[in-house]
Amino acid sequence: DSGVTQTPKHLITATGQRVTLRCSPRSGDLSVYWYQQSLDQGLQFLIQYYNGEERAKGNILERFSAQQFPDLHSELNLSSLELGDSALYFCASSGGQGSDYEQYFGPGTRLTVT
Amino acid sequence: GENVEQHPSTLSVQEGDSAVIKCTYSDSASNYFPWYKQELGKRPQLIIDIRSNVGEKKDQRIAVTLNKTAKHFSLHITETQPEDSAVYFCAADPYIYNNNDMRFGAGTRLTVKP
C-alpha cells in the first residue's frame, strides 16, 4: 500500500458525460500528479499540482481539468467524454517523507466510456 | 518537451538468465531517471532510480546504468525469476525542486519462463 488513495475504483459512463476522479496523497506529500494509461499503453503525464498550485502540464486535453484543494486532495474532472477517454487514471504523490523525487502511485480509477 | 524511447517492447527470457531494457531520452535537462514495475492490473511501483550525478546504481539483482553524454540509461536484471514477469517503465524527469515533468517510456513486457 503506497498511502495514496483514489476513488472510485471503477467508473462506467456514457459519451458526452462528465466525471470527477478523486485522489488523496500520502500524508505529508505536497505534490499530486495525474497520469492516463490506455489499454496496453504507457503512462501519459497529464498535470502536476504542488500545494494547491499548478506546477507542470503534460498532454492534458482542454476537456480535462484538475485542482488541488487546501487539504491537498486533488480532483481530475473529465468532461464531454469520448470513447477514447476510456483508460486507467493514476494519481501519484511526492514531496513528503523521504525523497522529493520518488512518486508514489495510487491504485488507479478505471474509466469506461460507452 | 522530453521524449523517452524504450526498447524492446517485449522481452522473454529463461529463468536464471539476465534481462536488459534500454531507454533513451531527448532533454539534456533531465536529471532523474526512475524505473517502475507494473504487474497486471496493479499500480506502478518504483524499483530503482538514478540521478544524473551517478553513473551506476545496484540493488541486489537489479542495476541501472546512465550515460548522460549519449542520453541513454538501462535496467539490468540478473538471475531472473518468474515473479519478475511484469511491464517495466523507464522515465526521465528534468526535476527542479517540487516541479516534476516526468515522461515515461512506452514500457517493456518482460516474461520470465520457468
Side-chain angles (χ1 to χ4, degrees):
Chain A
D1 186 3
S2 66
V4 179
T5 60
Q6 289 186 247
T7 56
K9 286 186 178 180
H10 303 278
L11 198 48
I12 302 174
T13 190
T15 54
Q17 295 298 305
R18 172 190 169 95
V19 297
T20 298
L21 313 184
R22 182 188 168 101
C23 168
S24 292
R26 288 190 323 154
S27 177
D29 283 358
L30 299 177
S31 283
V32 169
Y33 314 80
W34 287 97
Y35 293 90
Q36 179 192 56
Q37 186 175 40
S38 301
L39 188 64
D40 286 338
Q41 296 293 312
L43 290 154
Q44 298 293 323
F45 169 63
L46 297 178
I47 198 164
Q48 178 208 357
Y49 279 82
Y50 172 77
N51 204 19
E53 292 185 1
E54 182 184 308
R55 277 295 179 98
K57 217 167 191 176
N59 303 320
I60 189 166
L61 300 172
E62 287 191 9
R63 300 184 286 107
F64 297 180
S65 65
Q67 54 184 325
Q68 185 179 30
F69 295 86
D71 66 353
L72 301 178
H73 91 272
S74 177
E75 292 180 357
L76 178 68
N77 301 295
L78 315 176
S79 62
S80 302
L81 285 168
E82 302 174 0
L83 295 177
D85 298 327
S86 296
L88 198 53
Y89 291 84
F90 285 105
C91 161
S93 73
S94 73
Q97 291 184 356
S99 169
D100 289 329
Y101 292 76
E102 181 174 351
Q103 295 187 22
Y104 295 85
F105 281 77
T109 292
R110 183 169 296 282
L111 172 66
T112 302
V113 182
T114 62
Chain B
E2 177 65 273
N3 182 43
V4 179
E5 295 194 358
Q6 183 171 349
H7 300 279
S9 56
T10 60
L11 180 60
S12 182
V13 300
Q14 207 65 38
E15 183 178 0
D17 288 349
S18 294
V20 180
I21 303 170
K22 298 183 179 182
C23 289
T24 61
Y25 62 98
S26 61
D27 188 350
S28 56
S30 287
N31 54 27
Y32 175 58
F33 307 91
W35 285 87
Y36 284 84
K37 176 183 180 182
Q38 186 178 25
E39 297 176 357
L40 191 61
K42 298 195 175 176
R43 74 189 79 194
Q45 290 191 289
L46 181 75
I47 56 170
I48 194 167
D49 57 8
I50 192 168
R51 300 185 192 181
S52 58
N53 58 348
V54 176
E56 185 173 355
K57 184 176 177 181
K58 191 172 180 181
D59 183 4
Q60 298 182 348
R61 294 187 298 108
I62 59 173
V64 57
T65 59
L66 170 65
N67 183 328
K68 282 214 74 178
T69 303
K71 292 186 193 160
H72 66 71
F73 56 113
S74 301
L75 176 72
H76 303 252
I77 306 174
T78 58
E79 300 173 25
T80 53
Q81 301 167 3
E83 50 265 39
D84 294 329
S85 296
V87 178
Y88 291 81
F89 293 98
C90 64
D93 190 355
Y95 178 84
I96 302 172
Y97 183 70
N98 283 316
N99 192 350
N100 295 52
D101 191 10
M102 190 176 295
R103 303 302 168 111
F104 285 80
T108 296
R109 184 176 300 278
L110 173 65
T111 302
V112 180
K113 293 182 281 188

